[in-house]
Amino acid sequence: FGLTSHFGVLSTIDDMVEWEKSFWNQSVLPNDIIEQLKKPEYVFIDDASSGQLLAYGNGWWIVHGNGHKIMEHSVITGTSIM
């Protein structure tokens, strides 16, 4: 295609499901590395009373709120991986 990485992810839903499962069964990365990826480097909001967290680390936005924990990576093109 001649596209650089900032043009987003070109994939199928089946491949994205396999990629997601690889994080749960540790077939790509061991659990200690995955836990390091989840660790915030910069914390912008951390409210223990409401459970809200907005942080950034290792290329991932880390958001906790309304009973959900979300890690996402979004890029300049609007591609978002959650």
Side-chain angles (χ1 to χ4, degrees):
F1 293 108
L3 299 177
T4 60
S5 61
H6 70 274
F7 282 102
V9 174
L10 303 175
S11 187
T12 66
I13 190 66
D14 291 335
D15 285 345
M16 293 301 289
V17 167
E18 290 302 314
W19 176 248
E20 171 73 16
K21 287 191 320 190
S22 74
F23 284 98
W24 293 103
N25 64 23
Q26 301 172 27
S27 63
V28 174
L29 297 171
N31 194 50
D32 59 328
I33 300 295
I34 292 171
E35 290 304 314
Q36 286 178 16
L37 290 174
K38 294 178 185 178
K39 186 186 292 187
E41 300 266 337
Y42 304 99
V43 177
F44 302 103
I45 298 171
D46 189 0
D47 185 351
S49 65
S50 68
Q52 290 191 332
L53 172 71
L54 174 61
Y56 183 82
N58 300 302
W60 294 93
W61 284 101
I62 303 159
V63 181
H64 298 178
N66 299 324
H68 300 282
K69 296 180 179 181
I70 298 172
M71 288 183 61
E72 73 164 341
H73 174 75
S74 53
V75 293
I76 199 166
T77 61
T79 300
S80 185
I81 301 170
M82 300 173 77

